[in-house]
Amino acid sequence: MTDLPFPEDFAPELRALLAPDLSKAAMIPAPTVQTASDLFGMDAGTLMIRLLPVAARYARVPLSGFHVGAIAMGRTTGNLYFGANMEFSGHALSFSVHGEQSAINHAWQMGEVGLEALAVNAAPCGYCRQFMNEMVSVGEGFNVLMREGSDAGDYSYSAKPLSHYLPESFGPTDLGMEGGLMSQQDQPLTIRSEDALAQAALQAAQASYAPYTGAHCGIAVQQADGTVFTGRYGENAAYNPSFSPLESALALLNMRRLCQFGYDITAATLVEVDAPISQRSATEAVLSAVAPDVRLTYITAERL
Ligand SMILES: [Zn+2]
């Protein structure tokens, strides 16, 4: 319990409350958030701000050494999902996962269909502002939380809509789209393979978000102990901030296992529809960074 990455200013009672949840995954369920409020008078936003250093410990940053922690609150559940940035040595910087992307991916993959708020320990970069602008809940009460207090013990924070950080924005509605990232997807796709990893990748492809190209795609990776994580493609109106399926799977793995747990990937299967774009080459590149001995299994899905 004591090896969890709590900051030094966490009282023993607060550590004891949060440790059982954090020992399973980097997530705090809503009932624990409520208990923190009842016992310590700490509102959810303050708890999110205080937990950002914990989220940042999950960062894998061999290039920058800059640890970003982000925490997303699910709109329907009130659960808190942690995220952290990830970098991959030997490959283009464009494969990097940002902390905000990681937290949003975590919430999305755990079934959330919108966010109430997202807290982050550094001002969101332009790329993340554009990534967040794709979310279905933007403009419906979603706020970005940032710590304002700089003195020890002062956890006051600002809560501002994304429009504050991204005025005169370009997003899905400019391309005539309704809905957005995290909206429920159930793409009618099928594959011939009955393999369990392929079927898991198919489910991820069915849940992927690709309104601009239709290139629905999902991946499943298996770890040495048999644990499987899936990743979904998440497209963006501005194209470049689109989130690749393997980035999605690695970010989920990073937040659902113990802090700095090894990748330990022994198999990976990508399922995608035949479309004008493909994730195959980018997936093989990133896979070679984290699992050089694993050969990607590639399956084309058919639309029903
Ligand atoms: Zn960013």
Side-chain angles (χ1 to χ4, degrees), residues 240-269:
N240 291 73
S242 299
F243 203 48
S244 80
L246 185 54
E247 287 176 305
S248 168
L250 295 178
L252 187 69
L253 180 163
N254 192 37
M255 306 316 299
R256 300 298 298 179
R257 304 228 64 169
L258 288 176
C259 193
Q260 302 298 330
F261 196 90
Y263 288 117
D264 291 343
I265 292 168
T266 55
T269 298

PDB file of all heavy atoms in Angstrom, residues 240-269:
ATOM      1  N   ASN A 240      -4.437  15.849 -37.742  1.00  0.00           N
ATOM      2  CA  ASN A 240      -3.204  15.459 -37.057  1.00  0.00           C
ATOM      3  C   ASN A 240      -3.368  15.040 -35.601  1.00  0.00           C
ATOM      4  O   ASN A 240      -2.683  14.115 -35.164  1.00  0.00           O
ATOM      5  CB  ASN A 240      -2.156  16.572 -37.169  1.00  0.00           C
ATOM      6  CG  ASN A 240      -1.667  16.704 -38.582  1.00  0.00           C
ATOM      7  OD1 ASN A 240      -2.396  17.203 -39.429  1.00  0.00           O
ATOM      8  ND2 ASN A 240      -0.473  16.235 -38.872  1.00  0.00           N
ATOM      9  N   PRO A 241      -4.253  15.669 -34.824  1.00  0.00           N
ATOM     10  CA  PRO A 241      -4.400  15.173 -33.450  1.00  0.00           C
ATOM     11  C   PRO A 241      -5.144  13.836 -33.338  1.00  0.00           C
ATOM     12  O   PRO A 241      -5.459  13.399 -32.246  1.00  0.00           O
ATOM     13  CB  PRO A 241      -5.192  16.296 -32.750  1.00  0.00           C
ATOM     14  CG  PRO A 241      -5.018  17.486 -33.611  1.00  0.00           C
ATOM     15  CD  PRO A 241      -4.943  16.944 -35.010  1.00  0.00           C
ATOM     16  N   SER A 242      -5.436  13.180 -34.458  1.00  0.00           N
ATOM     17  CA  SER A 242      -6.095  11.865 -34.389  1.00  0.00           C
ATOM     18  C   SER A 242      -5.235  10.902 -33.568  1.00  0.00           C
ATOM     19  O   SER A 242      -4.005  10.965 -33.602  1.00  0.00           O
ATOM     20  CB  SER A 242      -6.299  11.298 -35.794  1.00  0.00           C
ATOM     21  OG  SER A 242      -7.134  12.160 -36.551  1.00  0.00           O
ATOM     22  N   PHE A 243      -5.914  10.019 -32.840  1.00  0.00           N
ATOM     23  CA  PHE A 243      -5.267   9.123 -31.869  1.00  0.00           C
ATOM     24  C   PHE A 243      -5.236   7.725 -32.460  1.00  0.00           C
ATOM     25  O   PHE A 243      -6.283   7.170 -32.787  1.00  0.00           O
ATOM     26  CB  PHE A 243      -6.099   9.155 -30.583  1.00  0.00           C
ATOM     27  CG  PHE A 243      -5.370   8.761 -29.341  1.00  0.00           C
ATOM     28  CD1 PHE A 243      -4.129   9.291 -29.033  1.00  0.00           C
ATOM     29  CD2 PHE A 243      -5.951   7.870 -28.442  1.00  0.00           C
ATOM     30  CE1 PHE A 243      -3.474   8.937 -27.854  1.00  0.00           C
ATOM     31  CE2 PHE A 243      -5.310   7.519 -27.264  1.00  0.00           C
ATOM     32  CZ  PHE A 243      -4.062   8.056 -26.976  1.00  0.00           C
ATOM     33  N   SER A 244      -4.044   7.171 -32.616  1.00  0.00           N
ATOM     34  CA  SER A 244      -3.941   5.869 -33.279  1.00  0.00           C
ATOM     35  C   SER A 244      -4.347   4.750 -32.317  1.00  0.00           C
ATOM     36  O   SER A 244      -4.239   4.895 -31.098  1.00  0.00           O
ATOM     37  CB  SER A 244      -2.518   5.646 -33.794  1.00  0.00           C
ATOM     38  OG  SER A 244      -1.678   5.222 -32.743  1.00  0.00           O
ATOM     39  N   PRO A 245      -4.801   3.614 -32.861  1.00  0.00           N
ATOM     40  CA  PRO A 245      -5.258   2.531 -31.987  1.00  0.00           C
ATOM     41  C   PRO A 245      -4.173   1.999 -31.059  1.00  0.00           C
ATOM     42  O   PRO A 245      -4.456   1.692 -29.895  1.00  0.00           O
ATOM     43  CB  PRO A 245      -5.754   1.451 -32.949  1.00  0.00           C
ATOM     44  CG  PRO A 245      -5.424   1.896 -34.318  1.00  0.00           C
ATOM     45  CD  PRO A 245      -5.065   3.335 -34.284  1.00  0.00           C
ATOM     46  N   LEU A 246      -2.925   1.897 -31.531  1.00  0.00           N
ATOM     47  CA  LEU A 246      -1.884   1.371 -30.628  1.00  0.00           C
ATOM     48  C   LEU A 246      -1.552   2.380 -29.530  1.00  0.00           C
ATOM     49  O   LEU A 246      -1.327   1.994 -28.379  1.00  0.00           O
ATOM     50  CB  LEU A 246      -0.619   0.988 -31.414  1.00  0.00           C
ATOM     51  CG  LEU A 246       0.480   0.321 -30.573  1.00  0.00           C
ATOM     52  CD1 LEU A 246      -0.044  -0.892 -29.818  1.00  0.00           C
ATOM     53  CD2 LEU A 246       1.672  -0.074 -31.432  1.00  0.00           C
ATOM     54  N   GLU A 247      -1.549   3.677 -29.861  1.00  0.00           N
ATOM     55  CA  GLU A 247      -1.373   4.684 -28.806  1.00  0.00           C
ATOM     56  C   GLU A 247      -2.475   4.517 -27.757  1.00  0.00           C
ATOM     57  O   GLU A 247      -2.229   4.593 -26.556  1.00  0.00           O
ATOM     58  CB  GLU A 247      -1.451   6.095 -29.388  1.00  0.00           C
ATOM     59  CG  GLU A 247      -0.240   6.515 -30.198  1.00  0.00           C
ATOM     60  CD  GLU A 247      -0.435   7.896 -30.818  1.00  0.00           C
ATOM     61  OE1 GLU A 247      -1.451   8.086 -31.525  1.00  0.00           O
ATOM     62  OE2 GLU A 247       0.408   8.776 -30.585  1.00  0.00           O
ATOM     63  N   SER A 248      -3.687   4.288 -28.235  1.00  0.00           N
ATOM     64  CA  SER A 248      -4.828   4.113 -27.340  1.00  0.00           C
ATOM     65  C   SER A 248      -4.638   2.890 -26.431  1.00  0.00           C
ATOM     66  O   SER A 248      -4.859   2.961 -25.217  1.00  0.00           O
ATOM     67  CB  SER A 248      -6.108   3.978 -28.186  1.00  0.00           C
ATOM     68  OG  SER A 248      -7.202   3.548 -27.430  1.00  0.00           O
ATOM     69  N   ALA A 249      -4.178   1.781 -27.010  1.00  0.00           N
ATOM     70  CA  ALA A 249      -3.990   0.554 -26.213  1.00  0.00           C
ATOM     71  C   ALA A 249      -2.855   0.718 -25.209  1.00  0.00           C
ATOM     72  O   ALA A 249      -2.980   0.314 -24.045  1.00  0.00           O
ATOM     73  CB  ALA A 249      -3.708  -0.624 -27.147  1.00  0.00           C
ATOM     74  N   LEU A 250      -1.748   1.319 -25.641  1.00  0.00           N
ATOM     75  CA  LEU A 250      -0.605   1.487 -24.730  1.00  0.00           C
ATOM     76  C   LEU A 250      -0.938   2.468 -23.606  1.00  0.00           C
ATOM     77  O   LEU A 250      -0.524   2.281 -22.456  1.00  0.00           O
ATOM     78  CB  LEU A 250       0.627   1.971 -25.511  1.00  0.00           C
ATOM     79  CG  LEU A 250       1.187   0.991 -26.547  1.00  0.00           C
ATOM     80  CD1 LEU A 250       2.367   1.614 -27.277  1.00  0.00           C
ATOM     81  CD2 LEU A 250       1.588  -0.333 -25.904  1.00  0.00           C
ATOM     82  N   ALA A 251      -1.700   3.503 -23.937  1.00  0.00           N
ATOM     83  CA  ALA A 251      -2.097   4.468 -22.909  1.00  0.00           C
ATOM     84  C   ALA A 251      -3.025   3.806 -21.888  1.00  0.00           C
ATOM     85  O   ALA A 251      -2.914   4.045 -20.681  1.00  0.00           O
ATOM     86  CB  ALA A 251      -2.782   5.673 -23.547  1.00  0.00           C
ATOM     87  N   LEU A 252      -3.910   2.937 -22.375  1.00  0.00           N
ATOM     88  CA  LEU A 252      -4.807   2.247 -21.445  1.00  0.00           C
ATOM     89  C   LEU A 252      -4.018   1.288 -20.559  1.00  0.00           C
ATOM     90  O   LEU A 252      -4.210   1.250 -19.337  1.00  0.00           O
ATOM     91  CB  LEU A 252      -5.888   1.487 -22.224  1.00  0.00           C
ATOM     92  CG  LEU A 252      -6.979   0.874 -21.345  1.00  0.00           C
ATOM     93  CD1 LEU A 252      -7.847   1.945 -20.706  1.00  0.00           C
ATOM     94  CD2 LEU A 252      -7.856  -0.089 -22.149  1.00  0.00           C
ATOM     95  N   LEU A 253      -3.130   0.514 -21.179  1.00  0.00           N
ATOM     96  CA  LEU A 253      -2.278  -0.407 -20.412  1.00  0.00           C
ATOM     97  C   LEU A 253      -1.532   0.357 -19.325  1.00  0.00           C
ATOM     98  O   LEU A 253      -1.458  -0.064 -18.167  1.00  0.00           O
ATOM     99  CB  LEU A 253      -1.310  -1.090 -21.380  1.00  0.00           C
ATOM    100  CG  LEU A 253      -0.290  -2.107 -20.907  1.00  0.00           C
ATOM    101  CD1 LEU A 253       0.211  -2.914 -22.124  1.00  0.00           C
ATOM    102  CD2 LEU A 253       0.912  -1.534 -20.187  1.00  0.00           C
ATOM    103  N   ASN A 254      -0.992   1.510 -19.697  1.00  0.00           N
ATOM    104  CA  ASN A 254      -0.192   2.306 -18.765  1.00  0.00           C
ATOM    105  C   ASN A 254      -0.987   2.732 -17.536  1.00  0.00           C
ATOM    106  O   ASN A 254      -0.441   2.818 -16.435  1.00  0.00           O
ATOM    107  CB  ASN A 254       0.337   3.545 -19.493  1.00  0.00           C
ATOM    108  CG  ASN A 254       1.392   4.275 -18.703  1.00  0.00           C
ATOM    109  OD1 ASN A 254       2.215   3.653 -18.039  1.00  0.00           O
ATOM    110  ND2 ASN A 254       1.374   5.590 -18.760  1.00  0.00           N
ATOM    111  N   MET A 255      -2.292   3.002 -17.723  1.00  0.00           N
ATOM    112  CA  MET A 255      -3.099   3.501 -16.612  1.00  0.00           C
ATOM    113  C   MET A 255      -3.884   2.400 -15.891  1.00  0.00           C
ATOM    114  O   MET A 255      -4.465   2.663 -14.835  1.00  0.00           O
ATOM    115  CB  MET A 255      -4.085   4.569 -17.113  1.00  0.00           C
ATOM    116  CG  MET A 255      -3.465   5.727 -17.882  1.00  0.00           C
ATOM    117  SD  MET A 255      -1.947   6.445 -17.189  1.00  0.00           S
ATOM    118  CE  MET A 255      -2.508   7.036 -15.605  1.00  0.00           C
ATOM    119  N   ARG A 256      -3.932   1.204 -16.458  1.00  0.00           N
ATOM    120  CA  ARG A 256      -4.726   0.132 -15.830  1.00  0.00           C
ATOM    121  C   ARG A 256      -3.859  -0.898 -15.130  1.00  0.00           C
ATOM    122  O   ARG A 256      -4.374  -1.884 -14.582  1.00  0.00           O
ATOM    123  CB  ARG A 256      -5.612  -0.587 -16.868  1.00  0.00           C
ATOM    124  CG  ARG A 256      -6.610   0.284 -17.595  1.00  0.00           C
ATOM    125  CD  ARG A 256      -7.641   0.926 -16.702  1.00  0.00           C
ATOM    126  NE  ARG A 256      -8.480  -0.027 -16.003  1.00  0.00           N
ATOM    127  CZ  ARG A 256      -9.443   0.334 -15.141  1.00  0.00           C
ATOM    128  NH1 ARG A 256      -9.659   1.615 -14.878  1.00  0.00           N
ATOM    129  NH2 ARG A 256     -10.162  -0.576 -14.540  1.00  0.00           N
ATOM    130  N   ARG A 257      -2.536  -0.710 -15.185  1.00  0.00           N
ATOM    131  CA  ARG A 257      -1.646  -1.597 -14.458  1.00  0.00           C
ATOM    132  C   ARG A 257      -0.883  -0.761 -13.440  1.00  0.00           C
ATOM    133  O   ARG A 257      -0.993   0.460 -13.419  1.00  0.00           O
ATOM    134  CB  ARG A 257      -0.698  -2.308 -15.418  1.00  0.00           C
ATOM    135  CG  ARG A 257      -1.460  -3.073 -16.504  1.00  0.00           C
ATOM    136  CD  ARG A 257      -0.994  -4.478 -16.725  1.00  0.00           C
ATOM    137  NE  ARG A 257      -1.175  -5.351 -15.599  1.00  0.00           N
ATOM    138  CZ  ARG A 257      -1.031  -6.682 -15.645  1.00  0.00           C
ATOM    139  NH1 ARG A 257      -0.730  -7.274 -16.763  1.00  0.00           N
ATOM    140  NH2 ARG A 257      -1.189  -7.426 -14.579  1.00  0.00           N
ATOM    141  N   LEU A 258      -0.110  -1.401 -12.598  1.00  0.00           N
ATOM    142  CA  LEU A 258       0.622  -0.649 -11.593  1.00  0.00           C
ATOM    143  C   LEU A 258       1.563   0.349 -12.259  1.00  0.00           C
ATOM    144  O   LEU A 258       2.027   0.131 -13.374  1.00  0.00           O
ATOM    145  CB  LEU A 258       1.409  -1.604 -10.688  1.00  0.00           C
ATOM    146  CG  LEU A 258       0.542  -2.407  -9.715  1.00  0.00           C
ATOM    147  CD1 LEU A 258       1.404  -3.396  -8.934  1.00  0.00           C
ATOM    148  CD2 LEU A 258      -0.192  -1.480  -8.745  1.00  0.00           C
ATOM    149  N   CYS A 259       1.841   1.410 -11.537  1.00  0.00           N
ATOM    150  CA  CYS A 259       2.667   2.507 -12.051  1.00  0.00           C
ATOM    151  C   CYS A 259       3.994   1.979 -12.608  1.00  0.00           C
ATOM    152  O   CYS A 259       4.720   1.267 -11.914  1.00  0.00           O
ATOM    153  CB  CYS A 259       2.915   3.495 -10.912  1.00  0.00           C
ATOM    154  SG  CYS A 259       3.583   5.051 -11.432  1.00  0.00           S
ATOM    155  N   GLN A 260       4.269   2.290 -13.887  1.00  0.00           N
ATOM    156  CA  GLN A 260       5.509   1.918 -14.574  1.00  0.00           C
ATOM    157  C   GLN A 260       5.642   0.405 -14.771  1.00  0.00           C
ATOM    158  O   GLN A 260       6.751  -0.124 -14.910  1.00  0.00           O
ATOM    159  CB  GLN A 260       6.746   2.483 -13.847  1.00  0.00           C
ATOM    160  CG  GLN A 260       6.748   3.988 -13.706  1.00  0.00           C
ATOM    161  CD  GLN A 260       6.763   4.729 -15.045  1.00  0.00           C
ATOM    162  OE1 GLN A 260       7.300   4.239 -16.024  1.00  0.00           O
ATOM    163  NE2 GLN A 260       6.140   5.893 -15.098  1.00  0.00           N
ATOM    164  N   PHE A 261       4.510  -0.297 -14.803  1.00  0.00           N
ATOM    165  CA  PHE A 261       4.492  -1.715 -15.130  1.00  0.00           C
ATOM    166  C   PHE A 261       5.088  -1.904 -16.529  1.00  0.00           C
ATOM    167  O   PHE A 261       4.905  -1.078 -17.405  1.00  0.00           O
ATOM    168  CB  PHE A 261       3.031  -2.196 -15.116  1.00  0.00           C
ATOM    169  CG  PHE A 261       2.843  -3.687 -15.068  1.00  0.00           C
ATOM    170  CD1 PHE A 261       2.754  -4.347 -13.849  1.00  0.00           C
ATOM    171  CD2 PHE A 261       2.738  -4.430 -16.235  1.00  0.00           C
ATOM    172  CE1 PHE A 261       2.569  -5.716 -13.802  1.00  0.00           C
ATOM    173  CE2 PHE A 261       2.552  -5.804 -16.195  1.00  0.00           C
ATOM    174  CZ  PHE A 261       2.471  -6.458 -14.971  1.00  0.00           C
ATOM    175  N   GLY A 262       5.789  -3.002 -16.743  1.00  0.00           N
ATOM    176  CA  GLY A 262       6.404  -3.233 -18.056  1.00  0.00           C
ATOM    177  C   GLY A 262       5.372  -3.436 -19.150  1.00  0.00           C
ATOM    178  O   GLY A 262       4.262  -3.888 -18.885  1.00  0.00           O
ATOM    179  N   TYR A 263       5.743  -3.103 -20.377  1.00  0.00           N
ATOM    180  CA  TYR A 263       4.815  -3.334 -21.488  1.00  0.00           C
ATOM    181  C   TYR A 263       4.569  -4.835 -21.677  1.00  0.00           C
ATOM    182  O   TYR A 263       3.428  -5.271 -21.832  1.00  0.00           O
ATOM    183  CB  TYR A 263       5.367  -2.744 -22.790  1.00  0.00           C
ATOM    184  CG  TYR A 263       5.335  -1.237 -22.856  1.00  0.00           C
ATOM    185  CD1 TYR A 263       6.510  -0.500 -22.951  1.00  0.00           C
ATOM    186  CD2 TYR A 263       4.134  -0.547 -22.852  1.00  0.00           C
ATOM    187  CE1 TYR A 263       6.486   0.878 -23.029  1.00  0.00           C
ATOM    188  CE2 TYR A 263       4.098   0.834 -22.936  1.00  0.00           C
ATOM    189  CZ  TYR A 263       5.285   1.549 -23.025  1.00  0.00           C
ATOM    190  OH  TYR A 263       5.261   2.911 -23.107  1.00  0.00           O
ATOM    191  N   ASP A 264       5.635  -5.616 -21.675  1.00  0.00           N
ATOM    192  CA  ASP A 264       5.539  -7.097 -21.716  1.00  0.00           C
ATOM    193  C   ASP A 264       4.575  -7.599 -22.783  1.00  0.00           C
ATOM    194  O   ASP A 264       3.812  -8.547 -22.544  1.00  0.00           O
ATOM    195  CB  ASP A 264       5.089  -7.648 -20.346  1.00  0.00           C
ATOM    196  CG  ASP A 264       6.153  -7.486 -19.285  1.00  0.00           C
ATOM    197  OD1 ASP A 264       7.315  -7.264 -19.655  1.00  0.00           O
ATOM    198  OD2 ASP A 264       5.809  -7.557 -18.091  1.00  0.00           O
ATOM    199  N   ILE A 265       4.592  -7.004 -23.960  1.00  0.00           N
ATOM    200  CA  ILE A 265       3.640  -7.395 -25.007  1.00  0.00           C
ATOM    201  C   ILE A 265       4.180  -8.592 -25.797  1.00  0.00           C
ATOM    202  O   ILE A 265       5.332  -8.593 -26.245  1.00  0.00           O
ATOM    203  CB  ILE A 265       3.360  -6.197 -25.947  1.00  0.00           C
ATOM    204  CG1 ILE A 265       2.601  -5.127 -25.166  1.00  0.00           C
ATOM    205  CG2 ILE A 265       2.544  -6.630 -27.171  1.00  0.00           C
ATOM    206  CD1 ILE A 265       2.504  -3.800 -25.877  1.00  0.00           C
ATOM    207  N   THR A 266       3.322  -9.612 -25.937  1.00  0.00           N
ATOM    208  CA  THR A 266       3.740 -10.832 -26.637  1.00  0.00           C
ATOM    209  C   THR A 266       2.966 -11.049 -27.937  1.00  0.00           C
ATOM    210  O   THR A 266       3.348 -11.896 -28.740  1.00  0.00           O
ATOM    211  CB  THR A 266       3.537 -12.059 -25.737  1.00  0.00           C
ATOM    212  OG1 THR A 266       2.167 -12.080 -25.300  1.00  0.00           O
ATOM    213  CG2 THR A 266       4.446 -12.010 -24.523  1.00  0.00           C
ATOM    214  N   ALA A 267       1.859 -10.324 -28.127  1.00  0.00           N
ATOM    215  CA  ALA A 267       1.077 -10.473 -29.359  1.00  0.00           C
ATOM    216  C   ALA A 267       0.256  -9.211 -29.584  1.00  0.00           C
ATOM    217  O   ALA A 267      -0.135  -8.526 -28.624  1.00  0.00           O
ATOM    218  CB  ALA A 267       0.145 -11.679 -29.262  1.00  0.00           C
ATOM    219  N   ALA A 268       0.001  -8.899 -30.861  1.00  0.00           N
ATOM    220  CA  ALA A 268      -0.804  -7.721 -31.200  1.00  0.00           C
ATOM    221  C   ALA A 268      -1.555  -7.983 -32.494  1.00  0.00           C
ATOM    222  O   ALA A 268      -0.970  -8.490 -33.463  1.00  0.00           O
ATOM    223  CB  ALA A 268       0.101  -6.490 -31.347  1.00  0.00           C
ATOM    224  N   THR A 269      -2.836  -7.675 -32.500  1.00  0.00           N
ATOM    225  CA  THR A 269      -3.666  -7.867 -33.696  1.00  0.00           C
ATOM    226  C   THR A 269      -4.401  -6.575 -34.023  1.00  0.00           C
ATOM    227  O   THR A 269      -5.069  -6.002 -33.153  1.00  0.00           O
ATOM    228  CB  THR A 269      -4.682  -9.005 -33.482  1.00  0.00           C
ATOM    229  OG1 THR A 269      -3.969 -10.220 -33.245  1.00  0.00           O
ATOM    230  CG2 THR A 269      -5.576  -9.177 -34.707  1.00  0.00           C
TER     231      THR A 269
END
